[in-house]
Amino acid sequence: MSISKQIVADFIANDVRFVTTVPCKQLGGVIDEVEARPEIHHVPANKEDEGMGLCAGAYMGGKRSAIIMQNTALGVTINTLVTLTQFYRMPLPMLISYRGELKEPVACQVEMAVHTKALLNQLNIPTYHFHRQEDGAELDAILKYTFMCNKPVAILTDATFWGGY
Amino acid sequence: MIRSEVLREIAPVLREALVVCNIGLPSQELHMIDDQPSNFYMLGTMGLASSIGLGLALSQPKPVVAIDGDGSVLTNFGTLPTIANNVADNFVLLIIDNGSYGSTGDQPTYAGKKTSLAKVASACGCENVVEVQGAEAAEALRTALDSGKMTVLVVKCESGNIKVPVITMDPVVIRDRFMKAVRS
Ligand SMILES: [Mg+2]
């Protein structure tokens, strides 16, 4: 099974039924699989904070939800993470493309990469970094942890994990 | 009419639906006028009432009304194409458009000048867009809920605020009792 298919299979096995996405090249395969699987209601969002609002509504409607996004957008989601997801204690797996790491061809992406973990740390968001392919095996446990503790949890996936560009 | 008077008019109709209410004075006013477990009060996060409402409507069958403001829709304009392209026929987006940022002291918004939110919603692909004056809001909301069609309802009214206490209920309590109302 491809990494993308395995990731979505883990989401489904953990009853995630609503996923919102903002595109990223690295996550293209995951987004295609989210769209293809009938178990998941896929709603593409125009902006990541909007997507987190959709996820909050879906969660309160009884569906476990998740967001797929790029780390460059972390800044625009800070108020939402703090005053909605965390303040109301809602679980939110955030599958994040970690642009600006090793094998990155675009210099500007590094500018957000150097702030990514610091911001997540400042927000007290549990953060996991998938670098080697085998790191993906922890996703199932990370999802169970997220829905156990009702917190936003970040899963950073870098270019090495995805096998380069 | 000002926003609090519109809310007073529509409160009996809102009881029939799950309500996601916009940050600041709209939530404080609705809480004072007719607090219900089926009301979700936003205490922060300006702009996301429509997004939360849509996610909720897409995930369960009960009717959902998101009460938004002109300033909040302007800050999350991306929500309108998402709503248009992900139709939930149990969803009404009710925008109380008083042409001002009420909660921050009634500074004017562009919706009170050249920009028509109803026209923007239509241009984004929303199929049932209705614009009414404040006095017609309750009837228009009932019609929208009875239609079984996703509707964007723009209610035009005057700007102006009343004195109202802040909501001191804990956010987790608001969320928990709301989720019980969703399931009931
Ligand atoms: Mg206003």
Side-chain angles (χ1 to χ4, degrees), chain A residues 48-80:
Chain A
E48 293 74 4
D49 55 343
E50 180 206 356
M52 289 178 180
L54 290 163
C55 285
Y59 168 69
M60 291 194 290
K63 281 192 178 173
R64 286 185 171 184
S65 54
I67 186 166
I68 293 177
M69 56 181 273
Q70 200 181 94
N71 62 322
T72 39
L74 200 55
V76 304
T77 66
I78 288 177
N79 182 53
T80 303

Side-chain angles (χ1 to χ4, degrees), chain A residues 39-55:
Chain A
E39 298 93 332
I40 292 178
H41 191 133
H42 176 211
V43 179
N46 295 306
K47 215 169 159 202
E48 293 74 4
D49 55 343
E50 180 206 356
M52 289 178 180
L54 290 163
C55 285

Side-chain angles (χ1 to χ4, degrees), chain B residues 70-71 96 98 100-102:
Chain B
D70 50 318
I96 302 183
N98 61 359
S100 72
Y101 294 102

Side-chain angles (χ1 to χ4, degrees), chain A residues 1 13 20 32 52 65 76 83-84 90 95 97 100 116 125 144 163:
Chain A
M1 199 184 281
T20 182
D32 288 346
M52 289 178 180
S65 54
V76 304
T83 66
L84 182 64
M90 300 186 193
L95 181 68
S97 172
T116 297
I125 292 178
K144 287 181 168 58

